[in-house]
Amino acid sequence: AQSVTQLDSQVPVFEEAPVELRCNYSSSVSVYLFWYVQYPNQGLQLLLKYLSGSTLVKGINGFEAEFNKSQTSFHLRKPSVHISDTAEYFCAVSAAQGGSEKLVFGKGTKLTVNP
Amino acid sequence: GAGVSQSPSNKVTEKGKDVELRCDPISGHTALYWYRQSLGQGLEFLIYFQGNSAPDKSGLPSDRFSAERTGGSVSTLTIQRTQQEDSAVYLCASSSRGGGFGEQYFGPGTRLTVT
């Protein structure tokens, strides 16, 4: 089974500041890793994913994440945030081999970007 | 093209009544997932359909919950004898392949309120 821990439930930052949203996972098998964003009253949108290969992955809206197998982490970063990045961010994993590829989500981190 | 659609967008029901929630996946997507998003539990997997294979029902919280997928397309999630703890947003997602990773595209969700 897999589990995901998002260490911060809320992260307030000022506009144009850098941000890092932390994610750690636990799994007995290889995993795929994802970050989703949910804007207020909207559905989930995929920001980026790690399947294999380069451990640094780039996504939409200037976000990137780095897979660290030894630390079982997949932290999300953006060098300069905008007001429009205010949303809730979810880290998720799925088993890489067999099974239903169901996503196991963290509890989410609410990012608030202040002017 | 059209994304995943869900209906109704909002549903208010009395405790003890049955409800049906509908999901129309992206055309051609063979895999379909249901998730539940609630304040207390975050995002939880409920059930997965892939083609003609037996569904993965491992996430259904009780036997009051059931789902079917007709003709490999539209899916209906049924909750019988609803309870207040069933209040949540029910999300549907679809992807283009199973047995190898396919990105999951999410619908806008159905907000269920049990009074």
Side-chain angles (χ1 to χ4, degrees):
Chain A
Q2 292 78 45
S3 66
V4 177
T5 302
Q6 291 183 244
L7 296 164
D8 305 298
S9 59
Q10 297 190 54
V11 173
V13 294
F14 288 109
E15 193 174 17
E16 298 183 5
V19 71
E20 178 179 81
L21 306 184
R22 296 179 292 169
C23 172
N24 287 85
Y25 69 92
S26 173
S27 177
S28 57
V29 300
S30 297
V31 294
Y32 300 136
L33 294 152
F34 311 88
W35 276 98
Y36 282 84
V37 60
Q38 187 174 37
Y39 298 103
N41 299 314
Q42 294 188 29
L44 290 165
Q45 180 182 4
L46 182 67
L47 269 181
L48 49 78
K49 60 181 182 281
Y50 172 79
L51 304 183
S52 64
S54 173
T55 57
L56 181 64
V57 293
K58 295 187 183 296
I60 61 172
N61 301 339
F63 284 93
E64 64 180 32
E66 186 156 19
F67 170 53
N68 188 318
K69 188 174 182 180
S70 63
Q71 297 188 2
T72 60
S73 68
F74 191 56
H75 301 331
L76 180 71
R77 301 186 185 98
K78 186 169 182 178
S80 176
V81 294
H82 303 290
I83 300 286
S84 59
D85 292 323
T86 294
E88 190 155 20
Y89 292 79
F90 293 92
C91 182
V93 302
S94 69
Q97 294 137 0
S100 64
E101 298 173 2
K102 63 188 178 188
L103 294 169
V104 176
F105 288 90
K107 296 288 188 185
T109 298
K110 287 188 179 177
L111 174 66
T112 303
V113 182
N114 298 301
Chain B
V4 178
S5 61
Q6 293 185 245
S7 60
S9 55
N10 282 283
K11 176 72 176 179
V12 180
T13 190
E14 292 179 353
K15 177 181 172 182
K17 295 283 180 70
D18 297 351
V19 295
E20 286 189 350
L21 312 179
R22 177 186 168 105
C23 172
D24 283 89
I26 293 172
S27 178
H29 279 192
T30 58
L32 187 147
Y33 305 76
W34 283 97
Y35 295 87
R36 178 169 71 173
Q37 185 174 23
S38 58
L39 282 176
Q41 302 299 322
L43 274 155
E44 307 170 278
F45 165 78
L46 296 177
I47 188 168
Y48 160 73
F49 296 91
Q50 169 56 33
N52 295 321
S53 302
D56 175 357
K57 304 179 182 180
S58 60
L60 294 178
S62 78
D63 59 8
R64 295 186 296 104
F65 287 73
S66 63
E68 63 178 19
R69 188 176 185 193
T70 54
S73 181
V74 171
S75 177
T76 302
L77 176 69
T78 300
I79 309 173
Q80 296 178 310
R81 305 180 303 281
T82 51
Q83 304 294 312
Q84 288 186 331
E85 60 263 28
D86 299 334
S87 295
V89 177
Y90 290 82
L91 295 168
C92 176
S94 69
S95 71
S96 60
R97 63 178 205 232
F101 178 72
E103 177 181 338
Q104 293 182 33
Y105 293 84
F106 282 81
T110 293
R111 181 176 297 277
L112 175 66
T113 304
V114 182
T115 61

